[in-house]
Amino acid sequence: MVENWAGNVTFGASAFHRPASVAQLQEIVAGSDHLRVLGTGHSFNRIADTTGDLVSVADLPPVLEIAASGVRVSAGTRYGELMAPLHAAGLALHNTGSLPHISVAGACSTGTHGSGDAHGVLATAVSAVELVGADGELRTVRRGDPVFPGSVVALGAAGVVTALTLDVQPTFDVRQTVVEGLRGFENVEEALAAAYSVSLFTYWDGNGFEQVWLKQRADVPPLPAGWLGTTPADGPRHMVRGGDPAHCTPQLGTAGPWFERLPHFRLAFTPSSGDELQSEYLVPRATIGDALRELDGIRERIAPVLLVGEIRTIAADDLWLSPAQGRDSAAIHFTWVSDAARVEPVVAEVEAVLEPFTARPHWGKVFTTSPERVHALWEHLPEAAKALSAGDPGGKFRNALLDRYL
Ligand SMILES: Cc1cc2nc3c(=O)[nH]c(=O)nc-3n(C[C@H](O)[C@H](O)[C@H](O)COP(=O)(O)OP(=O)(O)OC[C@H]3O[C@@H](n4cnc5c(N)ncnc54)[C@H](O)[C@@H]3O)c2cc1C
């Protein structure tokens, strides 16, 4: 029995495979009618599920080819395994998600993002993707190819990714500082723009943002004391009440390498609470203040089933199924208690409030948005669905969730 990280999904696969070579993987794909790939299983819905063959690429021979022009990495590599060698070679990625535990292919497939006004989803760093198609053939799709915009954030429907090439930049140091007590929603956009990467944390209990995590490049001056009426935290913090700060990356303004500050969580520790569900919605960035004010109207519904809420920003991109496609975005995230029966009605209420803000759900988290609504939200979805069907006419890489939404 294979489960996702959160334990809320038991996969319905009839067989689980861990091929040790690309040739073996090609044989499995060619011989299968229905097949999905499981990354590190950190998604909260049935996006990776199948009734057929479930495949892990974690045992494929590792690839890590580092060059100033980009890094070629095996698909199952976790970001936490990639980042230190990159830094040692004098290089960096543009951003990371909150946790280094997720696989590169799995994260890019769902449009996983970090924070920062100038930074696109992690998949925007991908310049080439190598994948085994429905016919069992291995091919490479490069930036500039006509179907490239539908081949990276592809929800696992473009084929089994074996390796990716990612853009890199010179390494840099980051200072992480947590400040407390950002009140009201007036200064949200200014706060989100104040550093390389910013996360605003709230418990939706009427007190504004209890914690603001500022990840500043070390080569820019620190923010002035008392910035936007906040107070520096007097020690390291975990954003979940009662959480152990030892699980989190170093704070208190000490400078250190990008990969030890941009994620919130450390690879050797459980990220977040470990016992939770998550949902997230991306709205056009300019509407974030209004969207939060509207959500504040139902905070008495949200707070009782919430562990913590987080607001981040993401730059627009041109990947067809990316949640930030075509618009600079702000993401409204909810870490819920792990009680689906109590959480799902509140998720539906949040979606109803956010509907006028054209909120796009995160593909890897809990959402109840209707297929009609999803089609209206992603203008390039028809192109993406057409390209994915052309590459997989028999629907080998489809599952119930993709049949519903694509
Ligand atoms: C504690 C926690 C914190 C999180 N923080 C963030 C965050 O900061 N930002 C954010 O955006 N999201 C976040 N997420 C969500 C997470 O990043 C996404 O769900 C991500 O897709 C998980 O990657 P994974 O490797 O576990 O993929 P999985 O969940 O295993 O799979 C996701 C999708 O990718 C496909 N896939 C995986 N590998 C391959 C492959 N080799 N070839 C083809 N398809 C493949 C699967 O079929 C599936 O459709 C968080 C999740 C958790 C549990």
Side-chain angles (χ1 to χ4, degrees), residues 5 36-44 47-48 57 75-76 96-99 101-114 155-157 159-162 265 271-272 276 278 280 310 312 333 362 364-365:
W5 174 84
R36 294 288 292 166
V37 190
L38 183 61
T40 56
H42 283 78
S43 295
F44 291 87
I47 193 160
V57 295
T96 74
S98 69
L99 74 175
H101 306 66
I102 47 179
S103 74
V104 176
C108 290
S109 296
T110 61
T112 291
H113 59 86
L155 319 181
V160 182
V161 179
T162 57
F265 304 108
S272 196
E276 66 197 62
Q278 295 186 7
E280 190 166 33
E310 180 178 10
R312 291 179 281 183
H333 166 89
H362 189 306
K365 301 188 180 181

